[in-house]
Amino acid sequence: MIKSPPRHARQSRFFVGILTTSIALLALSGCNNVTPSVNNQTIQQPNAAVTPAVQTVVGDYASDGYAKRAQGYDWVGVMIRADGADNGEQIDIKVRARSDIKKPTCQFDGTASLMGQDKAHGVIFQTKVNDSTAFFQFKDGMLTIDSQDKYALNYFCSGGASLVGDYQKLSSDLELT
């Protein structure tokens, strides 16, 4: 007759096995949260869970002067990208103004969360800006930026300009120069 190991020895091996498996799983799940970088520049990971609302608004938008930039007109561009947040309902917003001829008039970097969408209003995102709520409304290829306090959006521009206004969606990438 083969003698089996004592009961406490079997339990110890069982707990060691569970502990080893748990540590391995924790280590592997931790690797998933690492953001890779090349030459100290972060690489943006694609997010498969982006909502349809975010997908429809992603792109570049510009003020009226953008079409006449070759004639020296001032313009403001807005770059909208998926933020990559876990819920897939946030956008990354970068506002840039012409900087090739003169000092840029406007600059803003931020994120906004999906507020809602319907046929009448399009898709609306919101964010807190200078103790006010700023709204980014996307409808029919147009982005309208507005705020509860219109002066809150003047902070990001010089010369009396404001981020408040309408921006047309471009069919190609925004040319910053």
Side-chain angles (χ1 to χ4, degrees):
M1 179 171 172
I2 299 175
K3 191 174 183 183
S4 62
R7 183 174 177 191
H8 64 63
R10 284 187 305 216
Q11 289 175 339
S12 291
R13 278 190 240 146
F14 174 76
F15 287 117
V16 167
I18 293 292
L19 180 63
T20 304
T21 303
S22 298
I23 290 171
L25 287 174
L26 282 172
L28 289 174
S29 68
C31 292
N32 204 16
N33 296 327
V34 174
T35 304
S37 65
V38 175
N39 296 334
N40 294 329
Q41 293 181 348
T42 301
I43 299 171
Q44 195 68 281
Q45 291 292 329
N47 187 357
V50 173
T51 64
V54 170
Q55 290 174 357
T56 61
V57 304
V58 166
D60 293 345
Y61 299 77
S63 63
D64 289 337
Y66 185 76
K68 299 178 182 177
R69 65 190 181 281
Q71 289 87 16
Y73 282 71
D74 197 15
W75 55 268
V76 175
V78 183
M79 296 170 280
I80 305 293
R81 303 293 181 262
D83 178 66
D86 292 334
N87 65 7
E89 294 185 344
Q90 288 188 335
I91 55 173
D92 180 54
I93 304 159
K94 291 190 185 318
V95 177
R96 299 293 184 266
R98 130 172 268 152
S99 63
D100 57 338
I101 295 176
K102 59 182 188 171
K103 183 179 176 186
T105 53
C106 295
Q107 183 171 334
F108 172 80
D109 293 291
T111 59
S113 301
L114 179 64
M115 184 177 165
Q117 73 182 88
D118 60 32
K119 284 190 177 211
H121 301 99
V123 182
I124 301 175
F125 289 81
Q126 67 180 0
T127 190
K128 283 291 186 188
V129 176
N130 293 337
D131 297 325
S132 181
T133 302
F135 301 99
F136 299 84
Q137 178 183 15
F138 299 86
K139 185 172 187 219
D140 300 329
M142 185 72 70
L143 161 62
T144 301
I145 300 177
D146 205 353
S147 177
Q148 294 170 327
D149 174 8
K150 295 199 187 312
Y151 298 110
L153 297 176
N154 288 15
Y155 175 80
F156 304 98
C157 299
S158 62
S162 176
L163 297 180
V164 171
D166 295 326
Y167 303 85
Q168 184 69 43
K169 189 168 189 175
L170 302 174
S171 57
S172 60
D173 292 341
L174 186 68
E175 293 179 27
L176 294 173
T177 57

